[in-house]
Amino acid sequence: MRPLRLDMAGFTVFREPTTVDFTDADYFALVGPTGSGKSTVLDAICFALYGTVPRWGGARGIGNALAPSAAEARVRLCFESAGDRYVATRVVRRDGRGNVKTAGAGLQLMPAGFDVSKLDTGMDLADLGEALAGTPAEMDRAVLDAVGLPYEQFTSCVVLPQGQFADFLHAKPATRQQILVNLLGLHVYEEVQFKASERGKTAEAKLGVIEQQLGTLDDATEEAVAEAEGRLERMRELTRDVEQAMPGLRTARAAETAALGARDTVDAELTLLSSVRTPAGLDEATGAVAAARTTADQVADEVHAAEEAEEKVRGELAAAGDAGSLRVMLDRHTELARLAEQEEWFAGKVSVAEVEFRDAQNAAELAQGEHTGAQQLLEQARQDYRDAQQRDRATALRGHLVAGHACPVCEQPVTVVPEVPRESAVRLAEAAGNAAKEAAERATARWRERDAVARNLESDLERKRGQYEHHLTRITEVRTAVGTLPPVEAVKARLADLGELQRGLESATAAVRAAREAQRRAQAAVRTAEEQQRTAWRKFDAVRDGLARFEPPPADRDDLAAAWQTLVAWAHGRHADRLASRAEAEAAVLSTHDATVRAHTAILDLFVSADLEPPRLAAADAESGLIRAAAVAAERAEAAWQRLVERRQQALEAAEQRDVLLRESRVAKSLAGHLRANNFERWLLEEALDLLVDGASRILRELTGGQYELIHTKGEFFVVDHHDAGLQRGVRTLSGGETFQASLALALALSEQLAGMSTTAASLESIVLDEGFGTLDAATLDVVAATLENLAARGDRMVGLVTHVQALAERVPVRFEVHKDARTAYVERSGL
């Protein structure tokens, strides 16, 4: 894994958006004062990939990702691994209750040669590359596939944070062995052993299926195939024989059919001739027409007489006058009598209304007088109240008067001071005024009420007078109209005469309708009788036409009964002649039927000869059914032969598969058995550890001026001190500076040799060190710096340092200076 660009915002000390561009930084150093945030840059790389940081103490320390008082933290890492470029992103948010959770996580595979500067365009990563993960759970698997290392090994071999630099050196043998297994990809042999075992099991399972299949195919032998082929040939020969015999059967059947047809024709002629009989009721049908026509003529005379009687009454009614005019005259007489009766009633109503109006008017005038008097008393009371107010004011001044002094109002000398009244004049006047006001209000109300009553009665009187005048006018108009009319008795008599004539007209009209209905029935009877006669002639013609081929005698069209008698006598004669032809036709049918049976039996014998049950078919289906039966037998024989051929082929293929599966099962079991003992993997680990220790020992001798070298025994690391007579010491007994040198030697050796030893995509394309340089003396520091420079100069991996040692930082070509102010930390790139 090689970082290309790191973007942070709100992440721990980097409150503001910060970008670290590692492009072309093959050898770099993160420098700055203690606490400025140098290690936080490495934390951000680990967090973007694995969602946690070593010094947080696991995933539960995710709250440390947020800058103080920040609600969101974003980290995005663009990196390269095994030639592919990826972008890992993680977002952390704090909710309203203060809980910190991962709000987003994703990994995208970018196109080949992806330019990291495109991340500044604001484009959505989904538009830039292929999404490999979109949730934290998916990220774990996707990052492991991309980087090739789990979190613990990544922080032991790639990014070595503070406090964990010596983890690989001090690790237990089993832990160190597992790290090497993952780094070298030796788990592939475990997978090979597992797949070999699975393949062996699969082969055995398939063998069981193949054996069962062979058991079901034991009848598919070469002999059975040959026998089925012989039967197929016999069925094909049967089909050919049946097809060759079929024309003879067709000829015999055609002759039989023709004989049957001739016999049926004679039978039909005999049946037709014997069916010619005189219809029942022929005489009645012939006389019914004449009777119906006589009745129709009589009814027509009755209709004519009834119509003449109706026309006579209608003329008398027209001469008697208009009944409508007489009714109008009678209505005028009736209206005049009614109006005369109502005249006295209207006059009484008007008189009563006039009396009520005069009484109400007098009461209103009286109430108006009372109202006027009460208003005058009220005005007087108001004047008395004003006078009382003046007297009370004068009385109030008496309290200031002193005999012998000048009056303050008129300035005249006061001789005697008047006595002050005991009760206020205003209070007395006010009581009298209230009483007068109430009396005035009651008088006003009575006047208004009685005035309203009088006005209403006046309106009612005017309305009744108008009704009475209208009534008198109408009486005058009606009397004038009635004066020119006949008396009421004469009008009633004329109306009675008209009623009698009207009833006579209705009776005559009913007689006409009855006569016409009788005429319609008589005409219908005539038509029915005529239609029956025509039907009888049509029936005769139909019977005679059916006998046309026998040339029946001509018919008398004027006498239906005579025509039927002649035709019946002729038909009886012809029937006797055709009876002789019937015996000859029957003999021909029997002869042709025998020929058909012989031909059919010959074909059935062919089926018996072919060891088949002869088909039982109806006579109508015999021809096509026999051919179809032979064809079906041939098809079944061919299908049986084809199934045997296919089953024989399946048996051969199954036997071949059984042999192949037996070989695969033996090979898979043998390979799984060899790998199950772990001897091969153990040998590989021992060889890898030997190479790793040899390389680390060489680097350690360079770092220590030849004093120390590294060895291992049974998985444990030891150092040999050549300045102390080759004394072996455990690595846990080394001092801080010595431990740093030994750990650095191991890390550099692992970085150098992993690419050559690994079988997987996991490769240490970068190494970042964050510990220990301050513990080295100047000479050792110079050796360490030279070693790191040589490692970076190879160009196959990135080398990074985190240090505050100025002498070491100055020797690094690319420096990322980390500074921190009161608000945020920030990074500036310097050097090449």
Side-chain angles (χ1 to χ4, degrees):
M1 193 283 298
R2 180 188 183 97
L4 299 176
R5 169 173 169 152
L6 177 66
D7 294 294
M8 301 172 287
F11 184 74
T12 66
V13 298
F14 291 94
R15 183 190 303 273
E16 298 296 332
T18 303
T19 298
V20 182
D21 190 351
F22 295 101
T23 304
D24 299 329
D26 294 330
Y27 185 28
F28 69 89
L30 288 166
V31 299
T34 300
S36 61
K38 302 185 297 298
S39 298
T40 302
V41 175
L42 303 186
D43 293 344
I45 294 175
C46 291
F47 180 72
L49 293 173
Y50 299 100
T52 187
V53 172
R55 54 180 174 171
W56 288 359
R60 294 186 177 180
I62 194 173
N64 297 317
L66 286 172
S69 73
E72 180 181 271
R74 290 179 175 270
V75 179
R76 182 173 63 194
L77 174 66
C78 181
F79 65 94
E80 189 173 71
S81 179
D84 293 324
R85 292 195 174 187
Y86 303 85
V87 174
T89 307
R90 289 189 188 263
V91 180
V92 175
R93 290 195 181 97
R94 179 184 287 114
D95 59 21
R97 294 180 293 181
N99 298 324
V100 179
K101 297 180 180 179
T102 299
L107 181 69
Q108 279 80 26
L109 173 63
M110 297 294 110
F114 172 72
D115 186 0
V116 297
S117 64
K118 289 186 177 181
L119 297 175
D120 295 324
T121 62
M123 294 180 64
D124 192 338
L125 290 178
D127 298 331
L128 296 175
E130 175 189 356
L132 303 179
T135 65
E138 294 174 352
M139 281 282 285
D140 295 341
R141 180 71 261 175
V143 169
L144 182 60
D145 293 340
V147 178
L149 295 172
Y151 166 70
E152 293 78 5
Q153 296 166 19
F154 181 82
T155 55
S156 297
C157 301
V158 178
V159 175
L160 284 71
Q162 292 180 1
Q164 299 187 24
F165 191 64
D167 281 357
F168 187 77
L169 179 67
H170 292 157
K172 294 180 180 180
T175 303
R176 189 182 301 116
Q177 178 176 326
Q178 186 59 44
I179 293 175
L180 287 176
V181 166
N182 288 327
L183 289 176
L184 299 177
L186 299 184
H187 54 77
V188 68
Y189 299 106
E190 297 178 3
E191 295 177 1
V192 170
Q193 188 271 333
F194 175 77
K195 291 182 177 179
S197 298
E198 291 298 315
R199 183 168 293 181
K201 294 177 182 178
T202 302
E204 289 181 354
K206 289 181 178 180
L207 273 173
V209 175
I210 293 298
E211 292 293 346
Q212 292 180 358
Q213 184 179 0
L214 286 172
T216 61
L217 298 173
D218 56 358
D219 60 332
T221 62
E222 293 291 345
E223 294 78 7
V225 172
E227 182 180 354
E229 187 174 4
R231 180 172 177 78
L232 172 59
E233 184 59 33
R234 291 196 302 274
M235 294 303 103
R236 288 174 175 172
E237 184 177 355
L238 170 64
T239 302
R240 291 193 295 269
D241 293 341
V242 170
E243 291 176 349
Q244 291 174 359
M246 196 56 60
L249 177 61
R250 293 194 189 99
T251 301
R253 190 173 296 281
E256 182 182 3
T257 302
L260 287 171
R263 186 192 64 181
D264 293 341
T265 300
V266 174
D267 288 341
E269 291 175 350
L270 291 173
T271 301
L272 180 60
L273 290 170
S274 63
S275 65
V276 179
R277 293 183 180 86
T278 302
L282 181 62
D283 295 337
E284 292 80 357
T286 304
V289 175
R293 288 174 178 171
T294 302
T295 302
D297 293 339
Q298 294 174 355
V299 173
D301 294 338
E302 293 174 0
V303 170
H304 182 68
E307 289 177 348
E308 289 181 350
E310 180 191 20
E311 188 62 29
K312 179 181 179 182
V313 175
R314 196 178 297 278
E316 292 175 355
L317 184 60
D322 184 11
S325 300
L326 294 174
R327 290 192 185 92
V328 171
M329 294 178 187
L330 185 59
D331 290 342
R332 291 290 183 270
H333 284 289
T334 303
E335 183 181 6
L336 179 60
R338 179 178 57 79
L339 292 174
E341 292 176 357
Q342 293 177 349
E343 182 177 1
E344 184 177 355
W345 181 81
F346 275 109
K349 285 289 185 179
V350 171
S351 298
V352 172
E354 289 176 346
V355 173
E356 290 176 349
F357 171 66
R358 284 194 298 271
D359 293 341
Q361 190 175 29
N362 292 334
E365 291 175 354
L366 180 60
Q368 185 177 12
E370 294 175 355
H371 165 69
T372 301
Q375 289 293 327
Q376 292 176 353
L377 291 175
L378 177 60
E379 185 61 32
Q380 182 60 44
R382 289 174 179 168
Q383 184 60 42
D384 292 344
Y385 180 74
R386 288 193 291 272
D387 294 342
Q389 285 180 325
Q390 187 173 2
R391 288 196 300 272
D392 277 358
R393 285 195 292 270
T395 300
L397 291 175
R398 292 179 186 178
H400 301 285
L401 295 180
V402 180
H405 289 75
C407 174
V409 177
C410 64
E411 298 182 353
Q412 297 296 322
V414 177
T415 57
V416 179
V417 177
E419 183 179 358
V420 177
R422 294 182 179 180
E423 188 172 0
S424 172
V426 170
R427 189 176 296 110
L428 294 174
E430 185 176 7
N434 289 337
K437 183 177 180 183
E438 291 177 359
E441 290 175 351
R442 287 194 297 274
T444 301
R446 283 194 301 274
W447 170 61
R448 289 177 178 171
E449 180 181 357
R450 292 176 182 177
D451 184 63
V453 171
R455 292 180 183 277
N456 289 337
L457 290 174
E458 184 179 12
S459 298
D460 186 58
L461 175 61
E462 292 298 329
R463 181 176 56 79
K464 289 179 177 178
R465 284 175 177 171
Q467 291 176 349
Y468 182 50
E469 291 175 357
H470 176 71
H471 184 74
L472 294 177
T473 303
R474 182 58 182 167
I475 287 177
T476 302
E477 293 174 353
V478 174
R479 281 177 180 167
T480 302
V482 170
T484 61
L485 299 177
V488 64
E489 292 77 7
V491 174
K492 290 180 179 180
R494 290 176 62 185
L495 281 173
D497 295 340
L498 284 174
E500 186 65 27
L501 289 173
Q502 184 64 37
R503 287 190 291 274
L505 177 60
E506 292 174 356
S507 177
T509 302
V512 171
R513 285 198 298 272
R516 288 175 178 171
E517 180 63 27
Q519 184 182 29
R520 281 194 294 272
R521 289 196 297 270
Q523 291 173 347
V526 171
R527 288 193 297 272
T528 301
E530 291 175 348
E531 181 61 28
Q532 290 175 350
Q533 189 178 40
R534 285 193 294 271
T535 300
W537 272 111
R538 284 196 294 271
K539 183 177 181 181
F540 173 80
D541 291 339
V543 173
R544 189 178 183 282
D545 292 342
L547 301 171
R549 64 180 179 276
F550 302 113
E551 298 180 355
D556 184 3
R557 303 302 297 182
D558 295 332
D559 191 347
L560 179 61
W564 269 108
Q565 290 175 0
T566 301
L567 183 63
V568 169
W570 172 83
H572 288 171
R574 291 290 296 170
H575 185 271
D577 295 340
R578 296 299 292 168
L579 283 175
S581 300
R582 173 67 171 72
E584 297 175 359
E586 183 65 28
V589 167
L590 294 175
S591 176
T592 56
H593 177 69
D594 291 340
T596 301
V597 170
R598 288 193 298 272
H600 185 262
T601 302
I603 295 175
L604 293 179
D605 291 341
L606 294 175
F607 282 89
V608 175
S609 299
D611 298 330
L612 290 177
E613 180 71 20
R616 292 182 175 87
L617 302 169
D621 300 331
E623 181 178 342
S624 60
L626 291 171
I627 295 177
R628 185 166 58 252
V632 168
E635 289 174 358
R636 289 176 178 173
E638 184 176 5
W641 171 76
Q642 186 65 37
R643 283 196 300 273
L644 274 175
V645 171
E646 292 174 357
R647 288 167 59 81
R648 180 60 183 166
Q649 183 63 31
Q650 290 174 2
L652 295 175
E653 292 175 356
E656 183 178 354
Q657 291 179 6
R658 179 182 58 188
D659 296 340
V660 172
L661 288 173
L662 283 172
R663 288 194 299 272
E664 289 183 358
S665 177
R666 286 194 293 269
V667 171
K669 287 181 179 179
S670 177
L671 178 60
H674 289 306
L675 294 179
R676 187 178 295 113
N678 296 328
N679 293 330
F680 183 65
E681 180 178 323
R682 187 181 301 112
W683 175 80
L684 288 176
L685 284 173
E686 290 175 355
E687 289 295 316
L689 190 59
D690 289 343
L691 291 175
L692 178 63
V693 171
D694 288 345
S697 184
R698 175 181 53 79
I699 296 173
L700 183 60
R701 284 196 298 271
E702 294 178 2
L703 293 176
T704 60
Q707 180 179 358
Y708 294 118
E709 67 175 300
L710 190 66
I711 63 174
H712 75 96
T713 302
K714 296 181 179 180
E716 294 289 349
F717 285 163
F718 297 91
V719 293
V720 177
D721 189 351
H722 292 290
H723 291 182
D724 193 8
L727 177 67
Q728 292 186 10
R729 297 167 53 191
V731 294
R732 295 185 181 277
T733 65
L734 300 176
S735 64
E738 293 169 340
T739 298
F740 174 80
Q741 292 173 331
S743 299
L744 178 61
L746 270 176
L748 296 178
L750 187 64
S751 176
E752 287 179 348
Q753 300 184 25
L754 180 62
M757 294 188 295
S758 176
T759 63
T760 69
S763 61
L764 301 183
E765 299 174 86
S766 60
I767 182 170
V768 183
L769 309 175
D770 184 12
E771 185 168 353
F773 298 107
T775 63
L776 304 178
D777 56 35
T780 304
L781 183 64
D782 183 67
V783 174
V784 169
T787 302
L788 295 176
E789 289 170 356
N790 291 334
L791 179 63
R794 298 176 184 177
D796 57 352
R797 64 185 50 80
M798 172 188 286
V799 178
L801 309 175
V802 178
T803 183
H804 57 272
V805 178
Q806 188 64 26
L808 179 60
E810 290 177 351
R811 299 182 60 169
V812 179
V814 177
R815 294 181 295 279
F816 295 99
E817 298 181 4
V818 183
H819 302 281
K820 182 180 179 183
D821 56 24
R823 176 169 176 77
T824 184
Y826 54 93
V827 180
E828 293 180 350
R829 178 169 174 167
S830 62
L832 297 180

